[in-house]
Amino acid sequence: MSERRVEVIEAGRVPYRQALDWQRALAQARIDGGLEEDVLLLLEHPPVVTLGRTARGAHVLRPEGVDVVEVERGGDVTFHGPGQLVGYPILDLHAAPYRQDLHWYLRTLEDALIAALAELEVPAERRAGYTGVWTGGGRKIASIGVHVKQWVTWHGFALNVTTDLSAFERIVPCGISGVEMTSVERETGNGKRETGLWDATVAAVVRGFERAFSVEAKATLAGV
C-alpha cells in the first residue's frame, strides 16, 4: 500500500449547501497548497435533489417540498437523503498512486464501492455505458458524479444504505428512464439502523477506498 494518506472525516448529517461550500473550500485549499493531505468526507444530507451539468429539468418529476440545487458535478439529476452514505473525495490527482485521468478516477470510485459491497455480501458491478454501481440483479445502488479542477476532485458518490427508496420517485434517477433503485438494506434484508448496518457500510467503504486507490485512511469525527 502507498504511503499516501487520506483523512476520512465522518461528519454526520449536514445540509447539502453547507457541505457544498465545505468541499469547495477544501478543494481550493488543496489546489493552493494550504491542505497538505487528501480528504474523504463521509456524511448524510437532509432530503435534496441536485442537478449536474447535463441535467434536464424534465427529469425532476416532483420538486415540491424539497430543495433543488444546481451544481458543477457531472451527470444528471439525483436525490440525497437520510440513510444514504455520501462520499466527497478531495484528492490531488497529480501524484502517484493516482492518475490525471478522469476515466480512471470514475472507474476507481466504482471499484471502491464494488469492493465495499462485496464485503457486505451484496454482489455489485458496473453497467456498460453508465457511471455508477448496480447489483447483480440490475438495480442501481450507488450514483457517482464528480468535478475536477486543476486535477483536484470534489463531489463524489452516493450509496443507498437505509434510504427511503420511494424518494427516487421524485426524479428520473441519473436521467435513466425505468431504472430501479435499491439499497444495502433491501439487498441484505437488514432493515434496522440499530443493527450496525450503517457503521458496517462506512467501514467497508473506507476499506474499499483504501484498496482501490492504494492509500491509507486515517479516520476522524468532525463537524463543519
Side-chain angles (χ1 to χ4, degrees), residues 12 14 21 31-32 34 41 43-44 70 72 77 88 111 116 118-119 125 127 138 141 159 175 180 186 215 220 222:
V14 182
D21 289 344
I31 291 169
D32 295 340
L41 301 179
L43 41 77
E44 294 176 271
E70 294 185 19
E72 66 270 59
V77 58
Y88 295 131
D111 287 343
E119 186 175 325
E125 60 192 17
R127 193 172 191 181
I141 195 167
L159 173 62
E180 182 182 1
R186 176 181 175 185
V215 294
T220 61

Side-chain angles (χ1 to χ4, degrees), residues 75-92:
D76 203 292
V77 58
T78 195
F79 170 83
H80 298 306
Q84 184 187 73
L85 178 61
V86 179
Y88 295 131
I90 315 297
L91 309 181
D92 182 351

Side-chain angles (χ1 to χ4, degrees), residues 110-133:
E110 291 167 347
D111 287 343
L113 295 174
I114 290 168
L117 288 163
E119 186 175 325
L120 297 167
E121 301 184 345
V122 178
E125 60 192 17
R126 296 188 179 91
R127 193 172 191 181
Y130 296 98
T131 296
V133 177

Side-chain angles (χ1 to χ4, degrees), residues 130-172:
Y130 296 98
T131 296
V133 177
W134 277 256
T135 65
R139 294 176 292 275
K140 191 172 188 185
I141 195 167
S143 301
I144 295 173
V146 305
H147 186 74
V148 177
K149 177 182 177 183
Q150 296 180 39
W151 292 111
V152 170
T153 70
W154 69 97
H155 294 283
F157 62 84
L159 173 62
N160 298 323
V161 183
T162 60
T163 319
D164 177 3
L165 298 174
S166 68
F168 289 98
E169 296 171 7
R170 290 180 171 274
I171 64 173
V172 179

Side-chain angles (χ1 to χ4, degrees), residues 2-207:
S2 168
E3 293 181 356
R4 189 152 183 173
R5 299 202 306 176
V6 174
E7 181 181 7
V8 179
I9 302 175
E10 294 183 49
R13 191 171 298 181
V14 182
Y16 184 81
R17 292 177 190 271
Q18 187 177 356
L20 182 59
D21 289 344
W22 190 14
Q23 59 177 312
R24 284 172 174 166
L26 288 171
Q28 192 60 53
R30 198 74 177 102
I31 291 169
D32 295 340
L35 183 65
E36 293 184 357
E37 292 187 324
D38 296 324
V39 173
L40 172 60
L41 301 179
L42 294 177
L43 41 77
E44 294 176 271
H45 294 306
V48 63
V49 169
T50 71
L51 306 177
R53 293 192 304 272
T54 61
R56 294 173 54 191
H59 291 162
V60 182
L61 305 176
R62 289 167 37 207
E64 64 279 359
V66 66
D67 199 13
V68 178
V69 184
E70 294 185 19
V71 292
E72 66 270 59
R73 65 164 173 79
D76 203 292
V77 58
T78 195
F79 170 83
H80 298 306
Q84 184 187 73
L85 178 61
V86 179
Y88 295 131
I90 315 297
L91 309 181
D92 182 351
L93 300 183
H94 283 98
Y98 306 145
R99 302 181 196 171
Q100 294 176 53
D101 182 330
L102 186 57
H103 179 80
W104 170 86
Y105 177 57
L106 291 169
R107 302 294 79 79
T108 306
L109 281 177
E110 291 167 347
D111 287 343
L113 295 174
I114 290 168
L117 288 163
E119 186 175 325
L120 297 167
E121 301 184 345
V122 178
E125 60 192 17
R126 296 188 179 91
R127 193 172 191 181
Y130 296 98
T131 296
V133 177
W134 277 256
T135 65
R139 294 176 292 275
K140 191 172 188 185
I141 195 167
S143 301
I144 295 173
V146 305
H147 186 74
V148 177
K149 177 182 177 183
Q150 296 180 39
W151 292 111
V152 170
T153 70
W154 69 97
H155 294 283
F157 62 84
L159 173 62
N160 298 323
V161 183
T162 60
T163 319
D164 177 3
L165 298 174
S166 68
F168 289 98
E169 296 171 7
R170 290 180 171 274
I171 64 173
V172 179
C174 301
I176 306 171
S177 181
V179 68
E180 182 182 1
M181 302 300 292
T182 191
S183 65
V184 177
E185 172 187 22
R186 176 181 175 185
E187 298 298 319
T188 62
N190 186 342
K192 293 187 178 180
R193 186 159 180 157
E194 303 86 75
T195 62
L197 181 61
W198 180 266
D199 290 343
T201 301
V202 170
V205 165
V206 171
R207 286 190 287 268

